[in-house]
Amino acid sequence: MPDALDVTPYDALLLLSFGGPEGPDDVVPFLENVTRGRGIPKERLKEVGQHYFLFGGVSPINEQNRALLDALRKDFAGHGLDLPVYWGNRNWAPYLTDTLRDMVRDGRRRVLVLATSAYASYSGCRQYRENLADALATLEGEGLELPRIDKLRHYFNHPGFVEPMIDGVVEALADLPEDVRSGAHLAFTTHSIPTSAADTSGPVPDHGDGGAYVRQHLDVARLIADAVRERTGVDHPWQLVYQSRSGAPHIPWLEPDICDHLEERHAAGVPAVVMAPIGFVSDHMEVLYDLDTEATAKAAELGLPVRRSATVGADPRFAAAIRELITERAAVERGQRITPCALGSLGASHDVCPVGCCPARTARPAAAGADSPYA
């Protein structure tokens, strides 16, 4: 048996994710949760839900989180890491507040949180921290003893996250017809967000055009493109593009959209494109619909050969990366000096979100940061 890894002072890991419907009857209630407070009529939500109904009303994200939980538990057991793993969602069962309540009743007092978002942004980090604060406030109102909660750092440039994506792009290229393979372009995709949110993503010194959100994605795209060139001997042109825009037309969002990009590449005579969803941990609805359905249909209309590379999902290297992030953070909490693991030019992200990092649209408390009301 391996020697037990020291993760003190932590006594639990919480996988925190977005959530998704698991049947047709769940779709509209799920979307009501997602859009709560925006006053969107139910009929409009039914229209938006058509993406889910195309897949039987089931989002793949919950099943993918179950697979990741299984991979984490297997990795932990195989490396002597005795750390229970819980799961809570922002918008669907198992709900975050219910899971935290269970953790408190199980006696958990120091909790590390793994969010299924690798990059800095309001929706990918700060909003999860706000959800944690809301859940803690509810438990406090119930008279429960609150655990201390810390959040694992952004892992966008950890080798265990990057290397599976490199493999995925190489495999997608190999699947293209041989006569177009060497001329294929790489379209690295991520979720579009309002430019105002991008510009203020990350700590205050990182704010500016695109903020940390764009810089982090560009660094990962460059890492993958360079590794693909080393493995294949071909220097494939690449670009960071966006998908899944959902905002009002008059509000600027990050561009270009993947479908517009495919049209532009086709018009420029590019023979093929590999779409690499580097902004997503797993193949959830945005990947299945916006890339595998909508963008693939656009490419077929153009007569442009495309392939889509795999996301990281429950790859054992990703599970190992999470274990390494846990032991790294635990060592820091114990006052040890460590060298954090990170690829690329940006280095390891901060352990604690500083004041002003990915600021809220409106002032709301957020846990697991320098401005947390829950020390």
Side-chain angles (χ1 to χ4, degrees), residues 200-246:
T200 56
S201 58
V204 172
D206 291 340
H207 292 181
D209 188 16
Y213 185 75
V214 172
R215 280 193 282 280
Q216 290 171 0
H217 280 87
L218 285 172
D219 208 45
V220 171
R222 192 173 295 110
L223 281 168
I224 296 172
D226 288 349
V228 169
R229 182 183 64 249
E230 291 175 6
R231 292 196 194 181
T232 66
V234 179
D235 190 7
H236 293 275
W238 62 270
Q239 185 172 340
L240 178 64
V241 302
Y242 303 93
Q243 61 176 90
S244 313
R245 175 184 170 134
S246 59

Side-chain angles (χ1 to χ4, degrees), residues 176-177 179-180 184-185 262 266 270-274 299-300 302-307:
L176 282 168
D179 60 334
V180 300
H185 283 217
L262 294 177
H266 178 257
V270 169
V273 173
V274 166
L302 297 169
L304 177 66
V306 295
R307 296 293 185 273

Side-chain angles (χ1 to χ4, degrees), residues 10 110-113 120 125-126 129 148-154 202-206 325 328-330 332-333 338 340 348-358 366-375:
Y10 297 107
R110 288 296 302 272
V111 177
L112 263 176
V113 173
C125 183
R126 172 83 193 195
R129 293 177 49 224
R148 175 172 166 179
I149 293 180
D150 295 321
K151 180 177 175 291
L152 287 172
R153 66 176 171 89
H154 301 299
V204 172
D206 291 340
L325 289 169
E328 169 194 297
R329 180 61 182 276
V332 169
E333 290 296 307
I338 55 96
S349 185
H350 48 265
D351 282 322
V352 179
C353 293
V355 176
C357 189
C358 304
D371 56 354
S372 173
Y374 301 101

Side-chain angles (χ1 to χ4, degrees), residues 87-105:
W87 170 33
N89 287 326
R90 175 189 294 173
N91 296 302
W92 201 248
Y95 289 102
L96 169 60
T97 302
D98 296 336
T99 299
L100 272 180
R101 186 182 294 109
D102 290 341
M103 297 177 79
V104 169
R105 289 171 175 168

